[in-house]
């Protein structure tokens, strides 16, 4: 089986260009919320490619590896899944899964090696995302599939409670978070541009699917937002939020009266041209 060459050295501390950190005490909560909120939508769309026994797959920026483990079960017994991350320590050892420390921007990627490549909430963090799309295209066999799953965080709406101050606080928090992600080189709205960028990179049959859900107290989406107040605390304070405001955001997200429309979650599929 072909796998990307691993990066030579472990990367200690926060990685420039990525606002979160898999070594943070908050990473388990982050990845747990992402899996609870988005694995069903991600895997439902991956199924549509026909991924099954014998397929060779690459999961880029696998996080805690829940999608990579799902893929490994799908392609068993003869297929293989390579799960990569700049900090791969949270990816479990699963039969059929090869785990690599690998930077998708800088480390070598084998050409024509995969039937399916998947990356969720990775490329939006990378200023080099368009170059990465070109690398991922080349990594696929002719006719192979890419699926990227990304947010458009421009769409966020607190609906309840009716108190304007509470809804204004929520809006300011979401704007501050977008500022934090942009300052780190990310594009929190990239979900809406992913399909066009995939067309420009040379993918065919590009098929974007947007999805919006209700976030209320206790939902995985609301828990993910509360987690952001902790994981990104220093960066949020640096762009003007106070600890007192962040504490009020957490109270709001836990309020049984709270309801918000989520940001838009796009799953975008495309294929390497067959010829
Ligand atoms: C927001 S998390 C998403 C994790 C997982 N894909 C999910 O959706 O549950 C982004 C992941 O991408 C990884 N990452 C960031 N920059 C990367 C890079 N240049 N190459 C590979 N992985 C990267 C991070 O370490 C992190 O695990």
């Amino acid at each position: 089986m072909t796998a990307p060459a691993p990066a030579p050295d472990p990367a200690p501390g926060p990685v420039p260009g990525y606002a979160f950190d898999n070594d943070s005490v908050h990473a388990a909560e982050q990845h747990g919320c992402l899996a609870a909120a988005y694995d069903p939508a991600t895997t439902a769309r991956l199924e549509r490619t026909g991924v099954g026994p014998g397929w060779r797959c690459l999961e880029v920026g696998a996080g805690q590896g829940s999608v990579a483990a799902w893929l490994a079960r799908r392609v068993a017994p003869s297929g293989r899944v390579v799960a990569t991350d700049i900090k791969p320590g949270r990816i479990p050892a699963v039969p059929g899964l090869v785990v690599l420390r690998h930077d998708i921007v800088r480390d070598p990627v084998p050409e024509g090696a995969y039937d399916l490549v998947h990356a969720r909430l990775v490329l939006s963090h990378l200023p080099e995302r368009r170059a990465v799309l070109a690398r991922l295209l080349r990594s696929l066999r002719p006719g192979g599939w890419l699926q990227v799953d990304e947010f458009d965080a421009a769409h966020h709406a607190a609906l309840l409670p009716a108190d304007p101050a509470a809804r204004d606080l929520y809006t300011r928090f979401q704007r501050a978070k977008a500022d934090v992600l942009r300052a780190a080189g990310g594009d929190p709205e990239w979900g809406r541009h992913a399909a066009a960028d995939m067309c420009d990179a040379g993918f065919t049959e590009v098929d974007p699917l947007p999805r919006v859900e209700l976030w209320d107290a206790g939902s995985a989406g609301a828990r993910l937002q509360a987690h952001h107040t902790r994981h990104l605390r220093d960066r949020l304070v640096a762009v003007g939020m106070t600890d007192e405001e962040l504490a009020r955001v957490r109270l709001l997200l836990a309020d049984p009266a709270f309801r918000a429309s989520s940001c838009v979650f796009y799953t975008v599929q495309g294929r390497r041209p067959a010829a």
Side-chain angles (χ1 to χ4, degrees):
M1 181 202 45
T2 319
D9 297 308
V15 176
Y18 181 55
F20 298 95
D21 184 355
N22 287 4
D23 291 339
S24 160
V25 294
H26 304 296
E29 188 181 21
Q30 176 192 21
H31 295 153
C33 290
L34 289 175
Y38 297 111
D39 278 9
T42 291
T43 55
R45 266 225 104 198
L46 287 170
E47 269 181 351
R48 185 182 161 276
T49 65
V51 59
W55 280 41
R56 301 154 303 157
C57 304
L58 172 64
E59 173 75 10
V60 178
Q64 72 166 11
S66 58
V67 176
W70 180 89
L71 284 169
R73 290 193 295 275
R74 291 283 299 197
V75 305
S78 50
R80 285 290 179 275
V81 179
V82 177
T84 69
D85 205 290
I86 44 172
K87 292 194 175 184
R90 302 185 40 72
I91 305 171
V94 167
L97 193 61
V98 176
V99 177
L100 287 181
R101 181 182 304 279
H102 180 270
D103 180 342
I104 194 59
V105 177
R106 289 170 190 85
D107 294 324
V109 179
E111 305 230 341
Y114 299 109
D115 302 295
L116 170 66
V117 174
H118 174 247
R120 185 173 71 191
L121 303 172
V122 182
L123 272 64
S124 57
H125 291 285
L126 308 175
E128 308 86 349
R129 62 190 73 85
R130 286 168 65 94
V132 170
L133 283 177
R135 309 186 87 199
L136 297 181
L137 180 81
R138 291 194 298 274
S139 78
L140 290 165
R141 57 137 170 108
W145 294 83
L146 172 68
Q147 177 172 317
V148 296
D149 304 335
E150 290 287 353
F151 292 139
D152 173 2
H155 176 83
H156 265 293
L159 308 172
L160 291 171
D163 173 14
R167 289 185 292 123
D168 177 62
L169 174 69
Y170 183 78
T171 302
R172 280 192 294 118
F173 161 64
Q174 293 296 350
R175 288 189 182 145
K177 195 172 61 176
D179 288 345
V180 163
L181 297 175
R182 275 192 208 96
D187 178 356
E189 300 175 15
W190 188 65
R192 71 171 67 186
H193 303 300
D197 283 356
M198 282 174 61
C199 291
D200 287 350
F203 286 90
T204 60
E205 300 178 45
V206 173
D207 184 10
L209 182 71
R211 181 170 180 271
V212 175
E213 72 230 38
L214 176 73
W215 285 347
D216 55 10
S219 64
R223 287 188 284 114
L224 182 67
Q225 305 311 299
H227 141 274
H228 289 151
T229 68
R230 294 183 280 269
H231 202 152
L232 297 176
R233 181 263 170 199
D234 292 353
R235 293 172 189 256
L236 287 165
V237 168
V239 297
M241 299 288 296
T242 66
D243 281 318
E244 189 268 334
E245 287 174 322
L246 294 175
R248 281 200 284 128
V249 169
R250 285 191 288 275
L251 283 176
L252 178 63
L253 289 163
D255 182 344
F258 174 76
R259 286 205 164 196
S261 169
S262 71
C263 60
V264 184
F265 179 72
Y266 284 92
T267 61
V268 190
Q269 292 183 335
R271 304 185 78 170
R272 180 172 180 169

